[in-house]
């Protein structure tokens, strides 16, 4: 309803009510029990509605109503009337929605990255522990040194290697110099470990210097060793170009390489690694104590069941297998915990934005008391007044939700690109963020709109224009 139509209706009211008390006309127009307009769809009550219709009919006035499009335009005009204030109010919702989208998006992306790394390191590792033979027994070894070759034939196995350790070789004095000074302690205490040739792949390490011993060194029982990177630092060896030697158990061994970047069995970084044939002949490390197996993702459980049979047919129950648990629930729990933590932070920011909208909407209502009184005097119902302010606050929340969703998605993608992660964005989040902003605006505007609707026309017209 525009101003001209309202003026015409007031003139009609004046003409029709000539000789009638003006207070009666105002009472009819502003009566809260008046029949609702056609636009509202509200059915009049059985008693009050008929009474008000008779009063409007007696005055010869058609009940005023407002088209929903006009109500929307009035609300939009109210938002645009104070653009700077509306922009600052919208900023609160923008920050809240942006924080919500960023926290949930980054949490999902980081959680996926953490779980992915956890899968790569843990979900593909299987270890088989071989019990030591009984004292004095000279029977056939439970697991031969060729056992890893049998395991590598299994489906889903990427690499396998065997290790041999004992209490006797766990602490051996190792020296990098042949000279021994009387009264001076030389060298350092390190563990000596026997292994097969495929150990670097099994422990997911790499040769930082030199090479690892191969099948030729094993077959020839060569006195060669490979040092873990920490053991090499303790012995002061950084290069193998001059074929440095280490000395232990009154024998010398040529260092042919340094193994670093060990991700499994990290105690090997402080060990001296010897071919299993040389270790069995010179150090007594004749038996396999542990077999390391790397599998493809998803094959660990199957390999854990088959590996003992491949290593020791008929005696598989004597072997102990360590395999990763099912990580599907663990993955869900990790992502759920991270998402829950950041969701709380996002909701707090959103509540702050809602408080800002409620505060500004309430101030707007107090500043527009005169306008509210004039609209009520011209026939606007309480519901129309409430809807107008609810639409204003909802519009502010919707705009903030749209801008915040776009800004949050851009920031999540930017952070993922910077960290070289794969961004994880839920489509429901992108669609639901504007809706969440609108709901926040709607809830924030409830109290101010109800307060505006409860104003009596006479009291409101006495307020500031």
């Amino acid at each position: 309803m525009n101003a001209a139509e309202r003026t015409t209706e007031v003139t009609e009211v004046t003409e029709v009510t000539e000789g009638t008390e003006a207070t009666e006309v105002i009472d009819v127009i502003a009566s809260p029990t008046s029949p609702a307009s056609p636009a509202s769809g509200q059915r009049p009550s059985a008693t009050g509605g008929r009474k008000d219709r008779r009063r409007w009919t007696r005055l010869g006035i058609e009940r005023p109503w407002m088209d929903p499009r006009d109500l929307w335009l009035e609300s939009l005009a109210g938002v645009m009337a104070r653009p700077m204030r509306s922009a600052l109010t919208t900023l609160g919702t923008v920050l809240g929605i942006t924080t919500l989208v960023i926290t949930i998006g980054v949490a999902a992306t980081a959680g996926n990255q953490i779980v992915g790394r956890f899968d790569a390191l843990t979900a593909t590792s299987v270890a088989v522990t071989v019990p030591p033979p009984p004292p004095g027994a000279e029977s056939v070894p439970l697991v031969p040194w060729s056992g890893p070759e049998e395991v590598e034939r299994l489906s889903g196995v990427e690499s396998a290697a065997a290790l041999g350790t004992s209490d006797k070789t766990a602490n051996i004095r190792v020296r990098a110099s042949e000279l021994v000074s009387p009264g001076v302690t030389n060298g350092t205490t390190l563990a000596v470990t026997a292994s097969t040739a495929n150990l670097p792949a099994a422990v997911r390490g790499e040769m930082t210097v030199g090479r690892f011993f191969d099948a030729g060194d094993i077959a020839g029982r060569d006195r060669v060793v490979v040092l873990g990177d920490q053991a090499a630092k303790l012995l002061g060896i950084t290069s193998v170009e001059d074929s440095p030697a280490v000395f232990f158990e009154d024998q010398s061994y040529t260092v042919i390489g340094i193994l670093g970047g060990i991700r499994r069995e990290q105690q090997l970084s402080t060990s001296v690694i010897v071919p299993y044939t040389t270790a069995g002949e010179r150090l007594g490390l004749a038996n396999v104590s542990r077999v390391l197996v790397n599998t493809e993702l998803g094959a660990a459980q199957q390999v854990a069941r088959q590996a003992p049979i491949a290593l020791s047919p008929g005696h598989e129950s004597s072997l102990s297998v360590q395999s990763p648990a099912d990580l599907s629930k663990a993955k869900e729990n990790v992502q759920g915990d991270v998402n829950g933590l950041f969701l709380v932070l996002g909701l707090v920011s959103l509540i702050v934005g809602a408080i800002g909208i409620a505060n500004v909407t309430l101030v707007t209502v107090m500043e527009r008391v005169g306008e509210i009184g004039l609209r009520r005097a011209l026939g606007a119902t309480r519901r129309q007044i409430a809807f107008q302010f609810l639409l204003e606050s909802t519009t502010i929340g919707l705009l903030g939700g749209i801008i915040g969703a776009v800004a949050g998605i851009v920031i999540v993608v930017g952070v993922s690109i910077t960290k070289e992660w794969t961004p994880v964005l839920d489509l429901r989040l992108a669609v639901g963020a504007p809706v969440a902003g609108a709901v926040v605006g709607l809830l924030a505007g409830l109290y101010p709109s109800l307060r505006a609707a409860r104003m009596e026309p006479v009291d409101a017209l006495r307020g500031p224009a």
Side-chain angles (χ1 to χ4, degrees):
M1 181 187 299
N2 55 38
E5 292 174 346
R6 293 171 184 159
T7 304
T8 303
E9 290 187 2
V10 173
T11 304
E12 292 175 354
V13 171
T14 305
E15 293 175 353
V16 172
T17 57
E18 186 174 350
T20 306
E21 292 294 335
T23 55
E24 183 180 2
V25 178
I26 295 297
D27 181 62
V28 174
I29 295 175
S31 174
T33 60
S34 301
S37 63
S40 66
Q42 180 184 1
R43 299 180 61 184
S45 63
T47 56
R50 286 194 296 270
K51 179 179 178 181
D52 286 337
R53 280 200 300 272
R54 287 196 300 270
R55 296 172 70 183
W56 281 100
T57 303
R58 181 166 58 83
L59 294 174
I61 305 174
E62 182 181 357
R63 182 71 174 95
W65 66 284
M66 177 176 283
D67 189 278
R69 292 173 296 181
D70 294 334
L71 185 61
W72 169 256
L73 293 176
E74 290 287 349
S75 301
L76 188 59
V79 173
M80 300 304 296
R82 298 170 178 83
M84 184 58 65
R85 177 185 293 179
S86 298
L88 293 176
T89 307
T90 305
L91 182 61
T93 310
V94 169
L95 294 177
I97 294 293
T98 301
T99 304
L100 187 65
V101 174
I102 290 174
T103 50
I104 295 179
V106 171
T109 302
N112 184 72
Q113 188 73 12
I114 292 171
V115 173
R117 291 182 178 178
F118 184 68
D119 287 345
L121 291 173
T122 307
T124 59
S125 300
V126 175
V128 181
T129 302
V130 183
E138 296 182 358
S139 59
V140 178
L142 194 60
V143 175
W145 285 98
S146 60
E149 299 176 3
E150 302 297 330
V151 174
E152 288 179 343
R153 294 190 177 98
L154 299 176
S155 177
V157 174
E158 294 183 345
S159 60
L163 295 175
T165 59
S166 69
D167 294 337
K168 179 181 177 182
T169 60
N171 295 284
I172 293 181
R173 178 69 60 178
V174 180
R175 297 177 287 108
S177 173
E178 190 175 6
L179 298 177
V180 178
S181 300
V184 179
T185 302
N186 294 319
T188 184
T189 301
L190 299 173
V192 178
T193 303
S195 82
T196 55
N198 202 21
L199 184 65
V203 297
R204 294 175 182 171
E206 58 182 10
M207 298 303 299
T208 58
V209 176
R211 65 177 181 87
F212 203 79
F213 46 79
D214 54 21
D217 298 317
I218 294 175
R221 291 175 166 78
D222 297 339
R223 290 193 297 176
V224 295
V225 297
V226 173
L227 302 177
D229 53 356
Q230 297 301 318
K233 289 182 179 179
L234 293 174
L235 295 172
I237 297 175
T238 59
S239 174
V240 296
E241 293 181 358
D242 298 330
S243 299
V246 293
F247 303 86
F248 54 90
E249 298 295 309
D250 298 326
Q251 299 181 55
S252 65
Y253 297 83
T254 303
V255 179
I256 61 173
I258 299 175
L259 178 62
I262 299 174
R263 303 171 69 186
R264 286 188 65 184
E265 303 290 320
Q266 295 184 358
Q267 70 272 13
L268 291 176
S269 63
T270 57
S271 298
V272 178
I273 306 168
V274 186
Y276 69 87
T277 52
T278 305
E281 184 179 86
R282 298 178 178 274
L283 302 173
L285 290 176
N287 297 311
V288 176
S289 59
R290 192 170 175 83
V291 178
L292 306 178
V293 184
N294 291 324
T295 71
E296 297 176 357
L297 191 62
Q301 297 298 323
Q302 176 182 345
V303 171
R305 292 190 297 267
Q306 297 175 349
I309 301 175
L311 289 171
S312 184
H315 302 280
E316 60 274 7
S317 59
S318 301
L319 306 181
S320 176
V321 182
Q322 293 85 41
S323 62
D326 185 8
L327 296 179
S328 58
K329 293 183 178 180
K331 179 177 181 179
E332 295 176 359
N333 292 336
V334 170
Q335 290 181 336
D337 292 342
V338 176
N339 288 343
L341 173 63
F342 285 100
L343 181 61
V344 171
L345 299 178
L347 289 177
V348 170
S349 301
L350 202 57
I351 291 173
V352 173
I355 295 174
I357 294 177
N359 184 46
V360 173
T361 305
L362 184 60
V363 171
T364 302
V365 169
M366 302 308 297
E367 291 179 348
R368 295 163 64 181
V369 170
E371 176 189 341
I372 296 171
L374 180 60
R375 291 181 183 277
R376 295 281 284 116
L378 292 176
T381 64
R382 297 181 185 273
R383 178 173 294 183
Q384 290 170 352
I385 294 296
F387 277 177
Q388 178 180 343
F389 285 97
L390 276 178
L391 279 176
E392 291 183 13
S393 62
T394 303
T395 300
I396 292 175
L398 179 62
L399 292 175
I402 294 173
I403 298 173
V406 174
I409 292 174
V410 170
I411 293 176
V412 169
V413 173
V415 170
S416 301
I417 293 175
T418 303
K419 297 291 185 179
E420 297 183 354
W421 294 349
T422 300
V424 178
L425 292 171
D426 193 342
L427 182 60
R428 294 173 297 179
L429 179 63
V431 176
V435 177
V439 171
V440 168
L442 178 65
L443 296 177
L446 282 176
Y447 174 72
S449 62
L450 291 176
R451 182 165 181 173
R454 290 172 182 170
M455 291 184 181
E456 295 296 335
V458 177
D459 296 334
L461 286 172
R462 294 192 184 123

